[in-house]
Amino acid sequence: MFACVSSIAIGLAKRVFSKADFRGIHVVAGIGLGGINYIAVYALLRMLALEGWQSSQLYPIYSVGVVAVSTLLAMILFRERLSKMRAVGLFVGLASVALLNL
């Protein structure tokens, strides 16, 4: 809600909005993205409530998981190709999470 209100306030202050710039699809996409972010924060809070897990284990899992899922979705939805450097970075992130939880 804060992101919505602040973006509208900033847009009005900078006089960014015009009839040509405003489309219904932007509102739908913003609501969809807000819903996904809400679910992600809810999942993080639920993970932090798990017994037997420390936050120093959960934050890296969560962060690398977000990067991995974003990469996978970009490859599927936008047909992006994974460069060698990005693939190595993703592998190092996943390996570090695995080593952290041994």
Side-chain angles (χ1 to χ4, degrees):
M1 186 60 136
F2 178 77
C4 178
V5 172
S6 62
S7 66
I8 290 172
I10 291 169
L12 290 173
K14 291 185 174 185
R15 296 187 179 124
V16 172
F17 296 120
S18 69
K19 288 188 179 185
D21 290 337
F22 188 77
R23 294 188 197 148
I25 189 72
H26 296 155
V27 174
V28 172
I31 291 170
L33 184 59
I36 292 169
N37 286 335
Y38 179 82
I39 292 168
V41 170
Y42 179 76
L44 178 62
L45 291 175
R46 293 288 304 221
M47 283 181 7
L48 289 171
L50 292 174
E51 298 219 8
W53 288 84
Q54 297 178 3
S55 62
S56 61
Q57 291 174 301
L58 293 175
Y59 282 119
I61 292 171
Y62 179 79
S63 298
V64 173
V66 167
V67 171
V69 169
S70 299
T71 301
L72 184 63
L73 287 176
M75 291 172 66
I76 293 170
L77 296 176
F78 304 115
R79 303 207 190 328
E80 285 194 23
R81 300 202 39 118
L82 198 58
S83 68
K84 289 181 183 179
M85 183 173 274
R86 289 183 182 171
V88 168
L90 186 58
F91 175 76
V92 168
L94 293 170
S96 65
V97 167
L99 289 173
L100 182 65
N101 292 302
L102 284 180

